[in-house]
Amino acid sequence: MLQFALGLLLANLLEWIVHKYFLHNLGKKRASLFSFHWGVHHREARKNGFLDHRVSTREVVGVLFLCLLFSPI
């Protein structure tokens, strides 16, 4: 049970760090790999009452990469 709780805490912390520093800070730069976050995700969320029902390929690949990266833990 403790491992599950720690895994959940680590996953939430990692998501917050990636969202804040990569998707928001680096995503503001048009030439950035993460610029889709502002150009696509935020526009869709504003149009649909802050919901974005689409899942981009970049998001799926990113989540799978992070899962693979942290699987030894």
Side-chain angles (χ1 to χ4, degrees):
M1 188 63 130
L2 179 62
Q3 290 173 330
F4 178 79
L6 289 174
L8 193 58
L9 181 67
L10 178 63
N12 279 291
L13 178 65
L14 181 63
E15 192 277 333
W16 181 82
I17 290 169
V18 167
H19 199 139
K20 179 171 176 55
Y21 292 105
F22 288 91
L23 298 179
H24 278 218
N25 289 352
L26 294 175
K28 288 181 182 178
K29 300 173 184 173
R30 291 188 188 265
S32 172
L33 176 67
F34 305 105
S35 64
F36 76 93
H37 185 74
W38 282 96
V40 178
H41 167 70
H42 279 257
R43 181 180 37 205
E44 287 297 315
R46 282 192 302 271
K47 286 182 184 176
N48 298 314
F50 296 100
L51 295 174
D52 184 3
H53 298 290
R54 289 186 308 155
V55 176
S56 74
T57 305
R58 290 182 184 180
E59 290 171 324
V60 172
V61 169
V63 168
L64 290 175
F65 172 74
L66 291 173
C67 287
L68 191 64
L69 184 67
F70 281 88
S71 65
I73 295 177

